[in-house]
Amino acid sequence: MMKRTRTAAIAALGLGVALAVSACAGGGSSSGGSGSSSSGKVTLTFWTNATPGPGLTYFQNAIKTFEKLHPNVTIKMQNIQNEDYDGKLQTALNSNSTPDIFFQRGGGKMLAMVNASKVQPLTLTAADQQNLSAAAVTSESINGKVYAIPLDVQPEGIYYSKDLFKQAGITATPTTIPELEADVAKLKAKSVTPIAVGAKDAWPAAHWYYNFALRECSQATMNTTGTTLKFTDPCWTKAGNDLAAFLKVKPFQAGFLTTAAQVGAGSSAGLVANHKAAMELMGAWDPGTIQTLTPNQQPLPDLGWFPFPAVPGGQGDPSAMMGGIDGYSLSPNAPKQAFEFLEFLVTPDQQKLYSQAFVTIPVNKASQSVVTQPYSVSALEALNKAGYTMQFLDTQYGQNVGNAMNAAVVDLFAGKGTPAGIVSATSEAAAKG
């Protein structure tokens, strides 16, 4: 997704949106759908990728509160590990057993669901529009129709340990890749692992390529590629060359190919949480994940953040950011109470609780006063200044193309692939449709 102006934030690539205003409660059928019964009781199924910890507890409490306000509604939540989520959801979509409410990644993945009539268009009320930024809703929209309700914004950058930086004599965060490489050398000189990456899960490694591409490719190229899926501009290969050069300084932990991203103390997030590594490239959900992996399960007190550094000579806007939005969609036959639950989640009080639990930036601007952690403030300030924001590429380009790109990047990490191989593998997947 692109952020065309700062105040507009994230907007869908090439897809205009006109937010519908209606006095009705939501987009579902008023008769209740498959979860209703003749007694008026409604049972909703809800899938989330929230991991055990404050975030999952938030959803459990939100459900209890909503059920008290709506005694005829029962919500059955299932939390699915993030790396398993896409496969399980695809299986449910294929078998017409999609949950009423489900976590939505957006981009090309959502477009595929829309084209297959597997997701319900939503009609927003005036109150909904007040609770949601128009730009965030645009990122969850296709051809003028809204297909998901966003809950937060997730600019990506590099989270780091201020204590480990100080130990290595680093007095300022790097603003260019050469400066980052110099800091890697300083950390290694102090026997500190510079950067953690969970390459076992593929996408965390691929995010390094995404960000190099964002720095090498112009905004026009990123826009064009998003609609044509043609990776012919030389910048895509240059991004791979940049990554290959960066890998030569050996910035990552030993065994990064078998390291998970977010589960357990040995994951990349766990390494940062326990001061076993100084940095990690990740989206704005990372502080919450790190918190669940510290020894006392409290926020990491020395955690900081800085944007992905500039690439000298790159054609991309150095202020541009990779980013995501956590949103939730409804299955085609989800009853109206499912939409009412999503409306409830974006009210100011719930958004404050959500932000505090997930340690992230709420989509409701009236709730952003709770963003006080220095790392989140830094991320929000960078987002406010960004020239545009691009959705994570494996989301933007759809599952098949994204998976091919991610796998090719991991091959490069493993020393088995080439920069040109990333482009060819991605192009071949795009050609297959």
Side-chain angles (χ1 to χ4, degrees):
M1 308 306 178
M2 309 301 293
K3 178 161 134 328
R4 305 193 186 283
T5 65
R6 170 44 224 138
T7 55
I10 302 169
L13 267 171
L15 301 175
V17 60
L19 302 183
V21 180
S22 170
C24 65
S29 166
S30 60
S31 61
S34 60
S36 63
S37 68
S38 57
S39 64
K41 299 288 186 180
V42 177
T43 298
L44 303 175
T45 51
F46 171 37
W47 283 12
T48 178
N49 68 339
T51 55
L56 188 60
T57 299
Y58 162 76
F59 276 127
Q60 292 167 339
N61 291 337
I63 288 170
K64 290 178 183 177
T65 302
F66 185 81
E67 289 176 341
K68 287 181 181 179
L69 295 172
H70 302 82
N72 64 317
V73 178
T74 298
I75 301 176
K76 294 184 177 180
M77 179 176 67
Q78 181 179 355
N79 66 299
I80 300 170
Q81 210 280 328
N82 183 69
E83 279 62 48
D84 297 332
Y85 182 84
D86 286 354
K88 290 190 175 183
L89 179 61
Q90 191 61 53
T91 298
L93 291 167
N94 292 342
S95 60
N96 293 319
S97 57
T98 314
D100 296 305
I101 307 164
F102 59 95
F103 173 69
Q104 174 64 258
R105 297 197 191 276
K109 294 180 179 180
M110 185 170 75
L111 177 60
M113 296 178 200
V114 171
N115 289 339
S117 300
K118 297 291 187 180
V119 62
Q120 185 180 135
L122 308 174
T123 303
L124 302 186
T125 67
D128 297 333
Q129 293 186 61
Q130 184 174 356
N131 287 331
L132 298 164
S133 74
V137 174
T138 301
S139 72
E140 304 285 25
S141 305
I142 295 174
N143 294 333
K145 293 184 179 180
V146 182
Y147 288 97
I149 296 296
L151 297 186
D152 62 13
V153 292
Q154 300 174 338
E156 183 166 64
I158 296 178
Y159 289 89
Y160 74 100
S161 163
K162 295 179 181 178
D163 289 350
L164 292 180
F165 267 41
K166 183 178 180 180
Q167 181 179 326
I170 301 170
T171 58
T173 55
T175 60
T176 67
I177 291 299
E179 289 177 1
L180 177 61
E181 291 175 344
D183 289 342
V184 165
K186 292 177 182 178
L187 288 161
K188 292 172 73 173
K190 294 294 183 179
S191 300
V192 174
T193 297
I195 305 172
V197 63
K200 178 183 178 181
D201 294 325
W203 60 266
H207 279 213
W208 281 91
Y209 176 71
Y210 301 172
N211 279 277
F212 275 118
L214 192 66
R215 294 290 177 259
E216 285 288 6
C217 300
S218 69
Q219 183 176 357
T221 296
M222 298 300 269
N223 271 306
T224 300
T225 306
T227 55
T228 66
L229 293 183
K230 294 186 182 298
F231 298 84
T232 54
D233 192 288
C235 67
W236 294 103
T237 302
K238 287 181 179 179
N241 290 334
D242 291 339
L243 177 56
F246 187 63
L247 288 170
K248 289 182 179 179
V249 306
K250 300 186 184 302
F252 301 112
Q253 81 278 11
F256 58 80
L257 291 172
T258 57
T259 300
Q262 301 178 109
V263 179
S267 67
S268 56
L271 294 176
V272 175
N274 292 281
H275 288 127
K276 301 296 184 182
M279 292 177 270
E280 183 182 30
L281 173 67
M282 195 59 65
W285 62 84
D286 204 33
T289 302
I290 289 172
Q291 177 178 329
T292 67
L293 298 171
T294 59
N296 59 3
Q297 295 192 333
Q298 295 297 313
L300 191 66
D302 68 316
L303 191 64
W305 182 95
F306 60 90
F308 194 86
V311 173
Q315 297 302 304
D317 185 334
S319 71
M321 299 178 73
M322 276 288 152
I325 287 182
D326 268 355
Y328 284 82
S329 290
L330 304 182
S331 64
N333 295 320
K336 66 177 184 179
Q337 290 85 354
F339 185 76
E340 291 170 356
F341 179 62
L342 294 183
E343 291 181 303
F344 169 73
L345 294 181
V346 294
T347 55
D349 288 345
Q350 285 299 313
Q351 277 277 281
K352 289 178 181 178
L353 294 171
Y354 177 93
S355 174
Q356 291 168 332
F358 283 95
V359 196
T360 190
I361 301 170
V363 74
N364 190 325
K365 291 185 177 180
S367 305
Q368 289 182 351
S369 60
V370 300
V371 179
T372 58
Q373 306 90 346
Y375 42 81
S376 293
V377 170
S378 295
L380 184 56
E381 289 175 347
L383 181 64
N384 288 342
K385 297 175 182 177
Y388 70 95
T389 302
M390 171 66 76
Q391 176 69 290
F392 301 121
L393 300 188
D394 57 350
T395 296
Q396 183 62 46
Y397 298 151
Q399 188 162 329
N400 292 337
V401 174
N403 286 349
M405 178 182 286
N406 291 358
V409 174
V410 172
D411 282 346
L412 183 66
F413 268 70
K416 299 187 299 182
T418 65
I422 297 174
V423 176
S424 62
T426 304
S427 298
E428 288 172 9
K432 292 177 182 178

